[in-house]
Amino acid sequence: MSDMLINSNHPKREEAADQRDPQEEPALTSPVPSEEAAKGEGAQVEATASSLADEDTVKLQSMAAARAVEQRASDEARAAIERAAAAWSSLLRAGPAPVTFPTAAPDPADKPGPEPMAPESRPEEPAEEGRKAAFSEAETLPLASAPATVTAATSPLAEAETLPLATAGVAIRQGEQQAAPPVAQAPAPHVQQPTERKQKSAAREEVRTRRRSARGLRPPQWPGRLWKQARYGTGRQRLKALVLLAILLLGIGLPIVSGLVVGLQAYLTYSTLRGQASAGVEHLLALKTIFNGAKAHPSSLFEADKLNQAAQELQQAQQSFAEARDTIDHSALIHTVLAFLPQYRLQVSSARAATQIGVDVSAIGLKLIPVAKSLAPHFQGPLLSNSSKPLVTQDMLSLLGATIDNIMPSLRDIETQSQNLSLAALPLSSSQRQQVQQVLQILPVLQQSLSQARQLLDAAGWLLGVDKPRTYLVQTMDRSELRPSGGFTGQYGELTVNAGRIAPFSLKDISFVEYTASSPTLGQLAPEPYRSWWPFANWGLRDSNLSADFPTTGQLAIQAYQRETGRHVDGIISLTPFFIEHVLQVIGPITVPGYNETITALNLEDRLHFYQLDSEGVRKQQIVQHVDDSSQARKLFTSRLAQTLLDRVRHAPPDEILAIAHEALYDLKTKDIEIYVTDPRVEQLLIQYGYGAQMDRSTSHDGLYIVQANLNATKASQYVRTLIHDVVTLDANGGATHYLQLRLAYTDTGPVYGYDTYRDYVRIYVPPNSKFLSGDGFDSGTPLCGGPLPACNATVVYPHDELMCPPGQYQPGAASPTLSDENPGDWHPLDSVGPPTNTVSDVPGRAMFGGWVVVPKNCTMTVTLSWYVPPLNKGHYALLVQRQAGTYPELDVTILPPDPCSQLNLAGTHVDTLLSSDLLITPRSLSTGGSQGHGQAASTQSSCYPRVGV
């Protein structure tokens, strides 16, 4: 405001000048300027004001366009604004000192000029009243009524409205300088005009600078002005102000209200989703309550009332999850949130996936309910009894197949949705998150199992005799007399299955067929691949267990049985004592009629050996069953036990049958049940899914299969611990060098029933093209000491401690008669040991290293063997160790990558376990790549398994 000018022609000033007494005018200390000088000075002032007004007009026009409140103002408001601007200018020009307002110069022709007065006699009252009037008019000015179109005359108002009050002092000082010319001399317009213009320009620039800085700091004042105008303005002004205030309130309130509405809508949407999802989960959890105890009693899954309740819960669960899914898919709010807040995309996608999984689970349950209702009548009463009503029909198998086909898409969709599911993004507790994670982890296994079941349905129909009855040769194996596929097969029987139901069954002693004077086995030799090492004459069904590859053994057994009995069978089933123990664990102890014997899973083998091999047990059988011949009485207890056991199973309730079926599936994998059938298609399916007990012949990974055969007519295998320690060192190309230690620790802890010495024919099967490197511990056939030779050293026999015995017990003793034994009744010497004596494999697609291993009682024999396996699958090494049926060897395997170990991007691996089934060992992958420099090799060496000594 420092650049505002005082208009000397203002009406109020003229009126004040007219009312003032000429005698009271103050006398000037300098001469009165002439009329021409006054006119020149006035013209100069008007020119300056005009230039300043032009500049202000440009600014005010831009400001007026931005302010909607300054449009369509009335002319009366414009006049009021001009008066206020003049008042403000007068006030600022007056300054802090009292001044008088000059009057218009009188006409010299009409009236002489007044005499000047002394400065000390200048009155102060009128000047003070002028300042008060200016203040009063400035305070009551309606500032919001600025016109839409502003002329040059309104520039003082614009500066008066926007000028920071801090510039008042500057304006006042400049006003004082302009109002008080020098006293000693007359004004010189031609000299003072440029000086005044520069001063005004500098002051104007300072005002603009201060105005810009003040605008950024002070809050807007126009809402308060609108409020004042709405209260004190005229009717039209009040109406305009009220409209503008309403617009202002709407501009502020609408976003707030909209935000509240959106927040409320978001809360309601979230509450709805949570309620729908929670309802679906509650309905699914209700199934757990409905079928509580189904794990212990699987037949409860087929109860009609529970199935109806489950169907209702599943329908409601599916509806709730579907509503939640549709809410997510069609909610405009959720789409808006995702558009503006993409950080919530993970939560929304996880919620969408979770709801779809709920829909799929409910759909699967609803598809299973009708199937369970259809099968329910068949799961009532004994399942395996010899009834005329079929247990399994082709229609049932077709229904199961169609059901699996119907639910597989839902399972695949669940797996797909689980890829988009982040459990951390869902409002779940840690326990709930863990449960869901466990369920998701079994999905691939479930899909694989159902896919296998779908493929095996036809095979199951064939095995269960759906189209016609099937007859199987059943053999029990005695693992205490270990043979390649599980144990010595001294008993047999025929099992007939018709539409899933089992006919009565009993076991017979093979001695009644093969140990007779007219036995068809007389003069029979073992098949060619095994003849070089098989030691016994009169080969037949009892010794058909020659290969650990059960399809091979099954074919040999069926051929031998047909040759010896003339009967045709559809397949063969071999059982180890472990499966029978598992059945006893399900059905509980059984009592054998006539013997007063209670057989459990813990005493099964012990009681069988007592009645078969102990003279007291044989005598008891003779008495109970009225048999004179002890050789015929030896296995009568075993036969009656088998008959009692199977009769108990045939009349078992559905829960026990389902539990036995579950154990049977597990024992098929562990080879405690081995099946071979004559139908090539069914047999191929069994092999494909790992139920054929076949020897692995794959060339995509390394393999190791150690097969033992106790061939000394002794029940000592149950007292021999088998320890396998294999160190595998990989080379840079992926080849593997094996260094194997096989320890047979024979400790006599019970009756042996037979010859004391353990004579084991050991075969080690490895991938084809494997190269033999070294070996030791195999019997060479060359006598060393003992027997007819001088006694063996009491403490050490072999130079590398291959055989460790208590002092003085390095004596092999007698052996069972063999084809090559000229003196079967004499004690045999201890032979020297060396590398394997047999390197010709009897299994196609496998290399083999084999030989005899002789272990005296209470001794430990260590066999060592080293071979090299060329690269099979570079960069993806794996080792499959197979378990021989009837054994639980202790396995210790170490796989060492090359130096540096990162060359194959593999870390060392160590496995130490009891081998209960086939085991695939895959080394861990290193986090760093294989192309490392020498400097990095040392840092990764710590991640390799340490090279321990053998």
Side-chain angles (χ1 to χ4, degrees), residues 514-548:
E514 297 184 344
Y515 293 173
T516 62
S518 60
S519 172
T521 63
L522 291 176
Q524 290 289 329
L525 297 178
E528 184 61 36
Y530 319 99
R531 191 173 298 173
S532 62
W533 57 269
W534 182 254
F536 305 119
N538 303 326
W539 181 86
L541 179 63
R542 69 181 182 275
D543 295 324
S544 60
N545 191 344
L546 292 175
S547 176

Side-chain angles (χ1 to χ4, degrees), residues 138-346:
E139 289 178 353
T140 59
L141 175 66
L143 296 180
S145 60
T149 304
V150 184
T151 61
T154 63
S155 60
L157 168 65
E159 296 190 11
E161 285 181 349
T162 60
L163 181 66
L165 296 179
T167 61
V170 177
I172 292 172
R173 287 192 298 271
Q174 291 183 356
E176 288 178 355
Q177 293 174 3
Q178 295 175 4
V183 179
Q185 58 183 1
H190 60 280
V191 176
Q192 294 180 353
Q193 184 173 356
T195 303
E196 276 184 49
R197 189 172 301 170
K198 289 181 181 180
Q199 292 176 349
K200 291 177 181 180
S201 177
R204 188 162 56 246
E205 186 64 28
E206 182 181 358
V207 169
R208 290 172 181 170
T209 302
R210 293 176 178 268
R211 186 183 302 160
R212 284 193 296 267
S213 62
R215 284 175 183 172
L217 297 176
R218 64 181 181 178
Q221 303 296 323
W222 53 272
R225 297 170 189 163
L226 285 176
W227 173 248
K228 288 183 179 180
Q229 188 171 358
R231 292 185 61 184
Y232 305 112
T234 62
R236 187 174 179 181
Q237 294 173 349
R238 294 179 63 186
L239 178 61
K240 292 180 179 180
L242 289 174
V243 170
L244 293 174
L245 283 175
I247 295 174
L248 173 63
L249 292 176
L250 288 175
I252 297 175
L254 278 178
I256 297 176
V257 174
S258 299
L260 292 175
V261 171
V262 171
L264 179 61
Q265 186 179 2
Y267 175 76
L268 294 177
T269 302
Y270 173 79
S271 300
T272 301
L273 279 174
R274 190 181 182 95
Q276 292 168 342
S278 299
V281 172
E282 290 298 326
H283 290 304
L284 290 181
L285 292 177
L287 298 177
K288 185 177 181 180
T289 304
I290 294 174
F291 295 109
N292 186 25
K295 185 175 182 180
H297 302 284
S299 60
S300 63
L301 294 172
F302 300 97
E303 296 180 7
D305 294 340
K306 293 184 177 181
L307 291 175
N308 292 332
Q309 296 178 23
Q312 295 178 0
E313 296 293 342
L314 287 169
Q315 289 174 354
Q316 295 177 3
Q318 187 180 39
Q319 181 180 357
S320 297
F321 285 124
E323 291 175 352
R325 178 194 60 191
D326 295 340
T327 300
I328 296 175
D329 290 342
H330 302 103
S331 173
L333 174 64
I334 294 179
H335 289 258
T336 303
V337 169
L338 292 180
F340 291 97
L341 300 173
Q343 61 267 30
Y344 292 103
R345 190 174 301 276
L346 179 60

Side-chain angles (χ1 to χ4, degrees), residues 671-723:
K671 305 173 190 173
D672 290 310
I673 299 179
E674 296 169 301
I675 297 179
Y676 170 79
V677 296
T678 57
D679 187 299
R681 181 180 56 88
V682 177
E683 176 63 21
Q684 185 58 39
L685 284 174
L686 293 175
I687 293 175
Q688 178 181 348
Y689 292 110
Y691 295 112
Q694 74 277 8
M695 184 178 292
D696 178 68
R697 294 177 174 86
S698 173
T699 57
S700 63
H701 53 252
D702 198 356
L704 175 64
Y705 199 170
I706 299 177
V707 179
Q708 301 174 249
N710 175 6
L711 301 180
N712 198 29
T714 177
K715 302 299 181 181
S717 298
Q718 56 186 323
Y719 307 122
V720 177
R721 290 176 56 201
T722 302
L723 300 94

Side-chain angles (χ1 to χ4, degrees), residues 59 66 69 207 222 224 233 316 330 390 405 432 446 527 539 712 726 753 866 912:
K59 292 189 300 179
V69 297
V207 169
W222 53 272
Q316 295 177 3
H330 302 103
D405 293 339
Q432 292 173 332
L446 180 60
W539 181 86
N712 198 29
D726 188 20
Y753 298 114
S866 180
D912 189 355

